[in-house]
Amino acid sequence: MNENLFASFIAPTILGLPATVLIILFPPLLIPTSKYLINNRLITTQQWLIKLTSKQMMTMHNTKGRTWSLMLVSLIIFIATTNLLGLLPHSFTPTTQLSMNLAMAIPLWAGAVIMGFRSKIKNALAHFLPQGTPTPLIPMLVIIETISLLIQPMALAVRLTANITAGHLLMHLIGSATLAMSTINLPSTLIIFTILILLTILEIAVALIQAYVFTLLVSLYLHDNT
């Protein structure tokens, strides 16, 4: 069991070629589109959820910030579908890879920060030095605020990676324990299996919440710089 504990986090290959790109491109295929004037219930529910999420995240933004609405909605849909597909047996979750999460976090964070420096550079620089700071503490506070700004994309990526990875590991351990106990003690197996079902429900909620948190924090960074 210990040897295969992290096997599900290894990037899969097809004929020796990495299949991560194909896996990343697969979730958008699950989002249905309609060419008809009257949509069915699935597409209507999908559009309602997209409008609700977009409205909740874009309410605090000005006109310039709302130009990111399509990107943020696409981001939350992509992360949510990727996390949910990763809960299927024998599947691979790209969001457990820190490199991929950094590839999403760094460009979005950098775009928001660059926009802030271009549109209102005085307010952007004012964040490095809070008002009323004593003169001896100015150099230290500037360094601290600079470090806190630079670690924002790392915090985004690590938060998503850690939460998804921890949930997958816990499900793997409890699933292995259920399989091992099935031949030893049936009542204990039923109890552990019940815990596994409850944990799976929790992980579905975590998959959706983490997608929302990641996108919401990007939206907050954008709001601070527009």
Side-chain angles (χ1 to χ4, degrees), residues 22-151:
L22 297 177
I23 296 173
I24 293 174
L25 295 177
F26 179 70
L29 300 178
L30 301 178
I31 307 299
T33 57
S34 176
K35 300 179 182 179
Y36 302 101
L37 182 61
I38 301 178
N39 298 324
N40 56 27
R41 294 179 181 178
L42 176 61
I43 296 179
T44 302
T45 304
Q46 168 192 315
Q47 292 177 349
W48 175 76
L49 288 174
I50 291 175
K51 289 180 181 179
L52 180 64
T53 306
S54 177
K55 181 180 179 180
Q56 187 171 0
M57 288 191 299
M58 293 293 109
T59 302
M60 59 183 174
H61 290 282
N62 54 20
T63 304
K64 183 177 293 186
R66 290 177 182 177
T67 58
W68 283 50
S69 59
L70 180 60
M71 181 183 298
L72 295 179
V73 170
S74 302
L75 178 66
I76 190 172
I77 292 175
F78 171 73
I79 297 177
T81 52
T82 303
N83 291 345
L84 291 176
L85 287 174
L87 295 175
L88 297 175
H90 305 288
S91 60
F92 173 72
T93 312
T95 48
T96 58
Q97 306 296 313
L98 182 60
S99 57
M100 176 183 166
N101 295 334
L102 284 173
M104 291 191 297
I106 292 177
L108 294 171
W109 166 83
V113 172
I114 292 173
M115 181 181 293
F117 277 101
R118 290 185 60 184
S119 61
K120 47 179 186 179
I121 187 170
K122 291 184 179 180
N123 292 335
L125 293 176
H127 291 162
F128 293 96
L129 188 62
Q131 188 176 5
T133 303
T135 303
L137 297 179
I138 289 179
M140 183 180 298
L141 280 179
V142 170
I143 294 175
I144 293 174
E145 292 296 330
T146 303
I147 295 175
S148 66
L149 177 66
L150 295 177
I151 66 173

Side-chain angles (χ1 to χ4, degrees), residues 1-9 166-178 196 199:
M1 183 178 66
N2 294 331
E3 295 178 356
N4 300 323
L5 186 59
F6 295 93
S8 60
F9 303 108
H168 282 52
L169 286 175
L170 190 57
M171 290 179 64
H172 179 80
L173 291 173
I174 295 180
S176 301
T178 304
L196 180 60
L199 180 62

